[in-house]
Structure formats: C-alpha cells, structure tokens
Amino acid sequence: MPKAYDPSQTEGPLYQFWLDGGYFKPKIDPDKEPFTIIMPPPNVTGELHLGHALTATLEDCLIRWHRMRGDPTLWLPGLDHAGIATQNVVEKEVAREGLSRHDLGREKFVERVWQWVHKYRSVISHQQARLGASCDWDRELFTMDDGPQRAVRTTFVKLYDEGLIYKGKRIINWCPRCQTALSDLEVDHREQPAHLWYVRYPLLDDAGHTTDEYIVIATTRPETIVADVAVAVNPSLDRWRKIVGRRALLPIIERPIPIVADEAVDPEFGTGALKITPGHDPADFEIGERHGLSTIVAVAPDGTMNAEAGPYEGRERFECRRVIVADLERRGLLEKTEEYHHSIGHCDRCDTIVEPIASEQWFMKMESLARPAIEAVVDGRIQIVPRRFNRVYLNWMENIRDWCISRQLWWGHRIPVWYCRGCGQPTAAVEDPAKCRQCGSPELEQDTDVLDTWFSSALWPHSTLGWPGETADRRYFYPTSVIETGYDIIFFWVARMIMMGLYNMTDVPFRHVYLHGLIRDERGRKMTKSLGNVVDPLVVAEKYGTDALRFALATGGAPGNDFRLSDDKLEGGRNFANKLWNLSRFVITNLEGHEGQVAFPDTGQRSQMCLEDRWIMSRLQRLVTEVDKLLSSFQIGAAGQRLHEFLWSEYADWYVEMAKVRLKAGDSSPLPVLASVLDTSLRLLHPFMPFVTEAVWQNLRQHIAWAEEEALIIASWPRPQPAWPDREAEASAQVVMEVVRAIRNIRADRGVDPGRYVEAYVAADGAGALLDASRPILESLARVRPLHLVTDAASAPRRDVASAVLSEAQVILPLANLIDLEAERARLTKQLQEAEAEVGRVGGKLANEAFRAKAPAAVVAKEEERLTAARSRRDGLKQRLTELN
RNA sequence: GGGCGAUUAGCUCAGUUGGUUAGAGCGUCUCUCUUACACAGAGAAGGUCGGAGGUUCGAGCCCUCCAUCGCCCACCA
C-alpha cells in the first residue's frame, strides 16, 4: 500500500467493480420491507452543481446503510426535461448559429432539444457515478420517456374529467422574455425602489362634458392607464362617496369610465381611489368581475404596448411608462410624484420583470387535492425532517391557490386536449384521438401549450415505478421510504408529489421527507453564475477525492440549515481519508507478517482479555449503537462526526499506540482486535466514504477469517452485541490514559526532551493493580523508566519533584535540575483552585435539599461520585503544596 | 403584513426528550521527522452559549420581551 491515499487511482476501478457485481440492483424479497429512494431528477441542462452532490451524498449514505443492513434497497435515478430551463439553453445554442426557434419551427426545434437531451443524459449519469452514487442505472428514467409521458396524460385526463383541471381567463404571470405564462411559484418578488405617481382623472358631468373637477389616483404603473375601465373608490370616504355613479375621463385615451364603489379599496392608501385595470392586476380583475366591467389587455406577449395603447402602440412597456408620465405632466394631469418601495415580480428563470396579464390558461383546482395532503402530514403518515418545515408546508397548503399549468413553450408534455375544427369542442384523451368526442369530426387540432415541468415531477414517485401500469416494482416499492431534497423546492415539488401521490395512488408517495440546506461559498454567498463562485463538484472530487467531498458535505452541517463549503472542510475530509488509509496500512502490514488469517477476537473470554482490548471493543460497541441510532433519526452528519472522532481520537491515537507496545515486543495478540475494530469501523464508515473504505477492506479481508462477502458494499452492517459495553474496562482505561496524559503534561511543561525516559512514581491505592497490569503501556506511552508503582504518595521522593494529582492516582516525577519551584507551585495552585471550585459547586448542589428530593436518583448519585473525586484531588493537591513549601 | 431560521472559542459549525467541568474541525502557541500517517504526533491557550426578565432543584436547550442578520410566504394600487 502506498504511503498516501490516492483517490484518482482507486475510485474509477472500484465503481466499475461494484457495477460488475450488480450490487446496485435491489434483490426483491417479498418477506422483507424494501428501502426506496427516488432520486430528485436533475435538469437535463447539463449543470451538475454542489446541490446535486449533496443530494447524491446524503441519499447514497442512506442507501448504502440500508443495503448493508440487508434491506432490498432501490435507489432510482432519473432526469428532468426541465421545460423552460432546457428550452432557454437550447435557444441560446441555436442563437449562436444566428437563428431563433421560430426560424426552425416547432418540430425542428424540439428535435434539436432531443439532440441535447441525448448528449447530456449520459454526461449527467456519468457525473453521478463519479460521486459514487450506487443507484440502479437500469431503472433510470427521463420525464419525457414513454412511461412518464403516459402517466402525465393519464393524470391530466383524470383530473380534467373530474373538473379539477379547467381552462379559464385569469390574471397570470407572464414573462415577456420567455413568452409564456408562469405559476405563482416561478415568480421571484423583490423589493425595489419605485415611484408613486398621482394622476388627475377629470370628472364628466351628466351630459358627458368635461368639468374642472377631477379625482386624483395614485399608481405605480401609469402605462396601464390605457387599459383602465373604471375608477373605484372606498365608499366610506365622504369626499368620494358623492361622485360614485358619475363618470371620469381616462387621461390621454379620453375614454369615459364609470366610478364605482368597492370595499376592496384601501381608504388609507394614496387618495383612497383606485384605477381599475382588470387586464393587468389581479385585484382589479376581481373588482372588474364584481362590477361587470370589461377587460382590456394593452401589453403584447413580447412586452410592448399593443393597439389598445393608442398613441403608444409598439413602445416597450417601461419606455411607454416614461413617455406617458411626461405626457401627463405636460397636460397638467400629474399632481405629484412620490418615491416608493414595493416588491416587483421577476421571472425566476431569466429575471425579466413579470407582467400580470389576463389570459386564457389551464389551471388545476388545488383545494380538494390539498386537503388529504395536509392530513397526511398532520397525522404523521409523512414525517418531515427537520420538523419545523411542517409549519411551512401546512401554511402554504392551507392557503393554496389554483395552479396555472399551461406554458406557451415548445419543449415539454403537450397538453392532451384536441379541439374540433368543426364544432370547436375540446376532447381530452390519453391516446391521440381520431375524432371529436362531440361531433365525430376527424378534423382535430391539439392544444399548442405544454405543461408546467413540475406537473410530471409531481407524479415522479409513482410514474417511475410503472404507474399507470400494474407493475411488480410499483406494488413492492410504493410508497417509497424517503424523499431527500433541498428545502427550496418544498412547494414546487414535495407538496405536489404528496397531493398527486395521494390522488393517483390513494397512498402517500414517501414516509419521510429529508430537507437539506443550501450550500454557500466560503463567504456565505449563494453560488450563482453571475457571482462566478459556482463550484463544480467533479473538480473538487478530482482535487481532494470523492470521499473527501462527500465527508465534507455530509458532516458540514445539520438538516435544513445552509452551510458554507470551504477548502478547509475539504482538506479535513481528505486528511481523514488519508488518516484512515494509513491507519489501515499499519494494521494490514502487521497482519501480513502474521501466519494465515486472524480469527475474530474471542470475546467470550473477556476476563482473559487485556485492558486496552476490552476498552476498545467496548468503545466500538457504543459506536455501533450510536451510529445506528443517529442514522435512524436522519442525523447523518452527527453519525459521520462520531465515526471521525472514534477512528481518530480513540482507535488511532490511543488503541493503536497501546497495541504497538505488544507488537514491538513480538506479541501478536492484539491483531484480532486491531483487525476486527478496523473491519467494523470500515463497515460503519462505508456509507460516508465508500471508496477508501472499500479499497482498504479489499485488502483487509484477505487477512481476516470472518469476511464472508466479497465486497464491503454488501458486507453486513454491524449489530450491537448485548455483552457490551464494558463499563469497568472503560473506567480503568480512563485511569491509565489520565496517568499518561498527566506525565506527558508535566514533561511538556518542564521541557523534558520528548525522547528521553525519566523515572516516575505513580501512587495509587485502589487502581494500583490495574496500573501494574498496564505497566508496559505506561512506560512506553509516557516514556517513563523506571516506573515505581506505590500505594502511598508518602513513599515517593518529596524534593525536586513535579507532580500531578488525579482522582485515582498521583504522579510524581523526580526531575532534579529541571524543577522550577515557582512554576511548580503555580501549576499545583491552579489545579487546586479548580478542584476547590468543583468541590464548592457540587457540594453546594448536594447540600440543596430540593435537589436531593426532586432530581432523579441517578443524577444525585453521579454528583456524589463527582464530589468524592473532587475532594480526593483537592486533598492530594493540598498535601503536595504543603510538601513543596 | 404574516411566518421561519440564525446569533455558542479568532473562523466555520455541532449540541432532539433540560442533568457532570458546553464540544468538533480549522486557526493560534510550545515541542517532535517516536519505523501507519507532517494530509502527522504530544502538550497548551481560548467561550458570562446576542441582551433582559421568567419557569425549574437545575436552562445553551422551555416561556416572554428586545436587538442584529438572513430566508420564505403574501393581489395594498
């Protein structure tokens, strides 16, 4: 084994080894409960970012853990056609050839998108594989594949037939750049500086002649004046009540419009009068419906003003705003202008300011679909991790509004509705219909719109398992176990999957929702292309190793919290992989020097085992229990940290060093324990760092007699053994380690040459026997020789010594010329102060009758022990100080 | 306008039923190439857990109020 771990040499071949072994495919067993994760399908836009790497890491962690536990484990990968996003990307590509999609035409353009898809489909899968994702590639699906297409159509027709999908004219969000309607969720509202213009609308008399009266109206969007159909006032305002029923003259356009009364007008805002533009404002649209007003749309799909704008026709909407303000001012109709801040909607794909437009679109009625989805979370059939997102989810679901599902795009699932050229009636059907359902005419034309890309995503957990077909996968794997994704798409995706899963399958799509946070850069900024701080996970994996990246991602934070990824964290992951590699190299090198395979340590003969062996086995068993518990409660990061701590601070820093003492003496007895602890640790760590653990284990397995499986990826997950932990061994080892630490501390403090052996006295009454048994360890790890073990500190030298007092023992080092009396006194005094503080604190607590009466007995007993130990230390220190003086 | 989160060591963050002296990684200081690892080892320094009250035998954790930062949702022009 080379001295440093080289991921680039190991990862590729190991992934191939797993693939060849078929380990990623679930073994269906009707008697076992499966574990299933449907992977959030990345967009086929060709950008794999750190969010995908995080998803791949966390899901792979859970998947590998369950696979090792022996559960039939399915991780189903997929890809999303990502409607607008992909269409935009391909449009840009086409633009480089100087063409627009309109130059190509719908059919040719869609063909181009398919070419893109074919190219990137494999690129993305390959990228996932590089991250170690152990998913079942044979089941990989694309949202535009035949199966999911059929699921989309089937669902649409079912909803349509039940009246849950309808076509209607409403105010929708229109992106003039993408030239399509958007759902409310696809609009990003941002507070921005703006103006509030106060415009005079002249009043007409009964005969329709202008008067010198006028009504002042505040607006942020003067360009929409051309589409005004009324003025509404709040009837509670005296100054306006009397003009209700009269007419005003629309400025510039000079169209007479009625003045109506409506409670929806806020009397406190502006002048308490509102211009009504039903074609461009949702509130106005409702007011318009209430008063039977007509709707005028004055903005064309491309964001320019249309013929309704009269003199402004053809002007871009914001240019029109400037011109119209100037015109109003010139005509003396602009009373004043105020600075104003309000939030403006932007297209979340291209950041263009969204135009609210009254438009005929397809909508999904959500309320009845939301109700069972709310129940599923309330009654716990679905559990969200972290739990606080329950409220976020429920709040949104309880106020849900109809979903605009039609998009004026070319790329996506085309709406399965055909219109009859004869009678005009629509026919919705799963299969392309041959004739009109109404009149039987064969002259049909399919709706030109496509569906919101999230429509197919909402069906993903069941459409990927074969629905609407009756498949074995669907029966066995649905409902799935966990959905894991970022909290930013809880509404877009998670909520809709729950609704549609319950609707189509009458059962929840998954039992647990694990929401991860957003990854930010070192300075806490969101990673965006415009900031140029986007990190390519494959570049990172190349530089630090996939395991390093995975470990950094998995242990960097807590569920639902954002976290910053830094080079420091990646280096930490790399260092840990290297530590593990070298640790294993040491163990394996020693095993190689041993004849044949070692047997599993005979823990039945525990009393025959030496202290350090018992200690590490006990600690290992605790580890097994804790890691399993942490993973069961989705505390993946905490489990990873716990493994790091055990392997580095307990196994490597202490046990291996202790084991060396025997090994150097030619005693091979620690080998079984060394090997089995490493084996178990590798199993536990494998879900986090699959490559380095498998690489090491392939080596280790040749030397151990109990390795049954040919690969770590399918090796059995460690189970806690009831015989452990061994509390006595843990406490005893603690004493040994404390003595070693105390001696090292004195040596470092007094500047003793690290290599030099010095004489030492250790006084211990009760712990004498165990210290004697660990004498070689004490001597070697603390570099003391000769080591005098005495029962009473009084029998150790008193002059020219440095000492330390522990609860169970006192350490005395005769250091003659290295002794600095003042420093020694200061050191002991400081320790004494600490001990006395503790005696005071704990003593005070125990003196409190209320504490004794109300605290659990175990807590009280612990405090008693603490007090005894602190007193013993205090008395010892007092004595040492007296002797020093 | 509602809601959520964050505020813990110089930095980045853990800390799920309230119970020892609040932890980790990085960084800092002092030593060491001790034959697994300098991507390392040994030792050390460093925190009134944002502020103020309250509940409790006991609060980083529960309650109330406040402050700063961030996010989400929302048709006040």
Side-chain angles (χ1 to χ4, degrees):
Chain A
M1 292 171 75
K3 194 170 173 179
Y5 173 58
D6 182 1
S8 64
Q9 293 298 304
T10 18
E11 293 176 359
L14 275 180
Y15 196 83
Q16 193 57 47
F17 165 68
W18 292 328
L19 276 177
D20 294 343
Y23 307 130
F24 300 167
K25 297 188 71 61
K27 308 209 174 354
I28 295 182
D29 178 346
D31 297 329
K32 287 183 177 171
E33 187 159 336
F35 181 81
T36 313
I37 296 180
I38 308 292
M39 185 193 284
N43 289 355
V44 72
T45 42
E47 305 156 20
L48 199 68
H49 53 69
L50 278 172
H52 295 115
L54 180 60
T55 284
T57 299
L58 295 171
E59 295 183 11
D60 197 37
C61 232
L62 294 170
I63 286 290
R64 286 178 188 263
W65 169 48
H66 278 276
R67 187 185 290 124
M68 289 173 80
R69 278 176 30 146
D71 302 332
T73 300
L74 170 62
W75 188 15
L76 196 154
L79 279 160
D80 198 310
H81 67 285
I84 305 185
T86 308
Q87 175 160 325
N88 284 351
V89 168
V90 177
E91 272 191 281
K92 268 184 203 151
E93 197 188 53
V94 171
R96 276 197 288 274
E97 298 158 26
L99 298 170
S100 79
R101 68 180 153 112
H102 299 284
D103 294 328
L104 293 174
R106 185 164 186 155
E107 209 171 307
K108 279 261 160 54
F109 179 78
V110 169
E111 222 168 83
R112 283 293 293 265
V113 182
W114 272 111
Q115 283 170 20
W116 173 280
V117 169
H118 292 315
K119 186 171 158 201
Y120 279 96
R121 203 172 164 159
S122 61
V123 170
I124 291 166
S125 305
H126 171 74
Q127 289 177 324
Q128 304 271 15
R130 276 289 286 112
L131 296 168
S134 61
C135 40
D136 183 0
W137 295 111
D138 293 345
R139 283 183 169 84
E140 186 194 49
L141 277 166
F142 180 49
T143 47
M144 299 281 277
D145 285 345
D146 289 347
Q149 287 256 27
R150 192 169 181 81
V152 163
R153 283 195 174 190
T154 305
T155 305
F156 185 99
V157 171
K158 195 172 152 210
L159 287 163
Y160 178 88
D161 288 345
E162 291 180 19
L164 290 173
I165 281 179
Y166 63 93
K167 201 173 189 182
K169 191 169 189 178
R170 292 271 202 86
I171 295 284
I172 48 87
N173 308 289
W174 181 268
C175 175
R177 205 226 53 93
C178 299
Q179 301 222 11
T180 179
L182 303 171
S183 69
D184 296 337
L185 282 178
E186 289 164 294
V187 178
D188 197 13
H189 293 275
R190 284 202 303 272
E191 189 86 355
Q192 282 184 349
H195 297 280
L196 197 53
W197 287 280
Y198 287 74
V199 182
R200 291 172 179 166
Y201 283 44
L203 293 177
L204 299 175
D205 63 19
D206 294 344
H209 299 113
T210 49
T211 65
D212 45 9
E213 295 171 282
Y214 53 81
I215 179 167
V216 178
I217 289 164
T219 179
T220 55
R221 306 203 51 201
E223 73 277 16
T224 63
I225 284 175
V226 298
D228 282 1
V229 295
V231 167
V233 297
N234 190 297
S236 69
L237 293 173
D238 290 339
R239 66 176 179 276
W240 299 138
R241 192 165 37 224
K242 55 182 183 287
I243 62 165
V244 170
R246 287 180 64 178
R247 287 186 302 164
L249 190 66
L250 194 58
I252 297 167
I253 297 292
E254 310 208 319
R255 175 168 64 228
I257 51 173
I259 296 169
V260 300
D262 200 289
E263 298 286 348
V265 183
D266 182 350
E268 305 293 319
F269 190 92
T271 60
L274 184 60
K275 68 195 236 1
I276 301 303
T277 323
H280 292 283
D281 185 281
D284 292 8
F285 188 81
E286 280 179 21
I287 293 173
E289 283 193 326
R290 273 202 288 279
H291 297 273
L293 302 167
S294 61
T295 294
I296 297 171
V297 170
V299 178
D302 65 353
T304 62
M305 305 306 289
N306 65 18
E308 295 286 356
Y312 306 107
E313 181 180 1
R315 287 192 190 267
E316 194 275 332
R317 55 193 165 139
F318 297 115
E319 186 206 332
C320 171
R321 178 182 298 177
R322 282 189 294 276
V323 174
I324 215 166
V325 166
D327 287 352
L328 287 169
E329 192 155 27
R330 195 170 328 110
R331 296 182 194 200
L333 293 172
L334 188 66
E335 182 146 309
K336 62 172 174 173
T337 305
E338 280 177 1
E339 299 289 315
Y340 187 64
H341 273 78
H342 72 149
S343 88
I344 297 172
H346 297 71
C347 171
D348 77 347
R349 279 292 149 202
C350 72
D351 215 39
T352 302
I353 292 178
V354 159
E355 186 65 36
I357 291 184
S359 170
E360 182 103 12
Q361 300 286 342
W362 289 95
F363 294 90
M364 199 193 287
K365 269 190 190 155
M366 302 309 288
E367 213 188 318
S368 64
L369 294 167
R371 230 172 291 125
I374 289 169
E375 274 169 38
V377 168
V378 168
D379 68 22
R381 272 176 300 153
I382 293 175
Q383 290 180 11
I384 305 179
V385 179
R387 224 181 329 216
R388 68 181 131 92
F389 283 100
N390 272 11
R391 247 180 111 155
V392 178
Y393 169 86
L394 292 173
N395 183 53
W396 189 75
M397 291 292 266
E398 280 157 8
N399 297 292
I400 200 160
R401 292 184 299 163
D402 286 0
W403 174 15
C404 175
I405 52 172
S406 46
R407 297 289 176 274
Q408 288 64 52
L409 303 171
W410 289 352
W411 175 242
H413 298 101
R414 198 149 162 190
I415 288 178
V417 171
W418 287 259
Y419 303 99
C420 177
R421 286 210 187 92
C423 69
Q425 286 302 304
T427 298
V430 174
E431 305 290 348
D432 290 16
K435 53 186 197 223
C436 173
R437 200 184 278 167
Q438 286 291 319
C439 68
S441 159
E443 294 280 298
L444 296 176
E445 205 168 348
Q446 187 173 4
D447 196 300
T448 53
D449 289 353
V450 300
L451 288 164
D452 183 354
T453 196
W454 295 100
F455 189 98
S456 59
S457 308
L459 316 177
W460 205 234
H462 55 280
S463 66
T464 50
L465 293 174
W467 188 88
E470 267 286 353
T471 63
D473 270 8
R474 179 188 144 188
R475 274 193 301 274
Y476 190 61
F477 293 110
Y478 195 95
T480 69
S481 311
V482 180
I483 195 81
E484 186 279 339
T485 191
Y487 65 73
D488 52 329
I489 53 174
I490 184 168
F491 307 136
F492 277 114
W493 197 38
V494 177
R496 287 165 177 169
M497 278 190 288
I498 297 175
M499 290 187 278
M500 296 319 293
L502 285 162
Y503 180 71
N504 279 337
M505 302 291 292
T506 63
D507 198 354
V508 295
F510 30 71
R511 311 262 185 228
H512 296 273
V513 178
Y514 179 103
L515 296 170
H516 65 241
L518 266 46
I519 300 171
R520 298 174 176 276
D521 74 359
E522 259 158 300
R523 287 152 63 184
R525 302 174 305 179
K526 214 168 162 174
M527 292 188 179
T528 61
K529 263 188 270 180
S530 55
L531 278 172
N533 59 350
V534 176
V535 173
D536 180 348
L538 294 198
V539 171
V540 175
E542 207 58 53
K543 185 173 173 193
Y544 296 97
T546 299
D547 290 326
L549 171 61
R550 291 174 56 125
F551 196 76
L553 290 174
T555 58
N561 287 2
D562 292 357
F563 80 98
R564 305 183 187 194
L565 187 68
S566 60
D567 285 344
D568 281 353
K569 281 178 183 163
L570 293 164
E571 276 173 23
R574 180 201 60 189
N575 294 356
F576 183 40
N578 187 245
K579 182 76 183 181
L580 182 69
W581 177 261
N582 277 290
L583 192 54
S584 307
R585 198 157 66 95
F586 171 78
V587 174
I588 290 165
T589 306
N590 277 284
L591 289 170
E592 280 167 351
H594 185 259
E595 268 305 298
Q597 295 179 322
V598 296
F600 198 82
D602 185 359
T603 52
Q605 304 287 317
R606 212 197 294 175
S607 56
Q608 316 263 305
M609 292 172 76
C610 67
L611 177 61
E612 62 268 30
D613 288 357
R614 280 169 64 187
W615 169 72
I616 198 68
M617 292 298 284
S618 180
R619 299 299 301 164
L620 180 74
Q621 289 306 316
R622 282 191 196 275
L623 179 75
V624 169
T625 307
E626 284 169 30
V627 167
D628 208 65
K629 196 177 152 201
L630 288 168
L631 288 176
S632 300
S633 53
F634 295 99
Q635 294 175 269
I636 298 169
Q641 279 166 6
R642 186 70 187 79
L643 282 159
H644 181 274
E645 182 192 293
F646 173 82
L647 273 160
W648 206 310
S649 310
E650 298 194 275
Y651 183 61
D653 287 350
W654 283 104
Y655 183 73
V656 168
E657 293 306 315
M658 288 172 170
K660 279 180 188 172
V661 177
R662 272 183 287 166
L663 291 171
K664 276 180 186 163
D667 175 1
S668 64
S669 65
L671 289 178
V673 174
L674 269 174
S676 77
V677 174
L678 180 61
D679 170 58
T680 302
S681 306
L682 290 171
R683 289 173 196 243
L684 294 173
L685 192 60
H686 182 258
F688 298 84
M689 303 181 114
F691 292 107
V692 67
T693 51
E694 181 76 83
V696 166
W697 196 81
Q698 284 302 325
N699 220 320
L700 177 69
R701 68 180 294 273
Q702 298 163 31
H703 305 285
I704 55 177
W706 63 88
E708 284 167 0
E709 306 84 355
E710 75 275 13
L712 182 59
I713 188 175
I714 49 154
S716 65
W717 185 253
R719 307 237 174 238
Q721 293 170 17
W724 305 86
D726 182 338
R727 288 198 60 176
E728 193 195 321
E730 289 190 13
S732 300
Q734 205 55 43
V735 174
V736 173
M737 291 187 284
E738 270 173 26
V739 169
V740 170
R741 267 197 218 102
I743 297 171
R744 283 172 173 171
N745 184 313
I746 293 170
R747 295 176 60 118
D749 193 56
R750 294 275 54 97
V752 179
D753 179 359
R756 200 180 119 197
Y757 278 85
V758 295
E759 187 177 18
Y761 290 81
V762 175
D765 193 6
L770 84 92
L771 288 173
D772 195 38
S774 297
R775 176 183 286 272
I777 283 174
L778 293 171
E779 288 176 348
S780 176
L781 297 197
R783 297 236 154 198
V784 286
R785 197 176 299 146
L787 168 64
H788 310 282
L789 290 171
V790 295
T791 49
D792 188 347
S795 51
R798 298 170 190 213
R799 301 186 68 81
D800 298 332
V801 296
S803 54
V805 177
L806 313 168
S807 304
E808 305 280 343
Q810 293 194 25
V811 172
I812 297 127
L813 298 195
L815 291 173
N817 52 347
L818 286 173
I819 292 302
D820 174 340
L821 273 182
E822 274 318 303
E824 181 66 8
R825 190 175 292 123
R827 217 164 49 81
L828 291 174
T829 306
K830 195 184 156 206
Q831 285 177 23
L832 178 61
Q833 279 167 357
E834 282 166 7
E836 280 191 325
E838 190 168 355
V839 170
R841 243 192 335 266
V842 182
K845 199 185 256 190
L846 285 164
N848 182 348
E849 280 310 315
F851 172 70
R852 285 184 173 281
K854 295 189 180 179
V859 173
V860 177
K862 256 188 176 172
E863 294 294 312
E864 304 263 21
E865 268 176 46
R866 253 184 86 197
L867 183 60
T868 312
R871 276 186 179 145
S872 144
R873 255 183 299 135
R874 180 196 62 187
D875 296 346
L877 284 161
K878 271 187 181 164
Q879 201 190 330
R880 303 298 328 169
L881 272 166
T882 320
E883 283 166 7
L884 203 61
N885 293 332

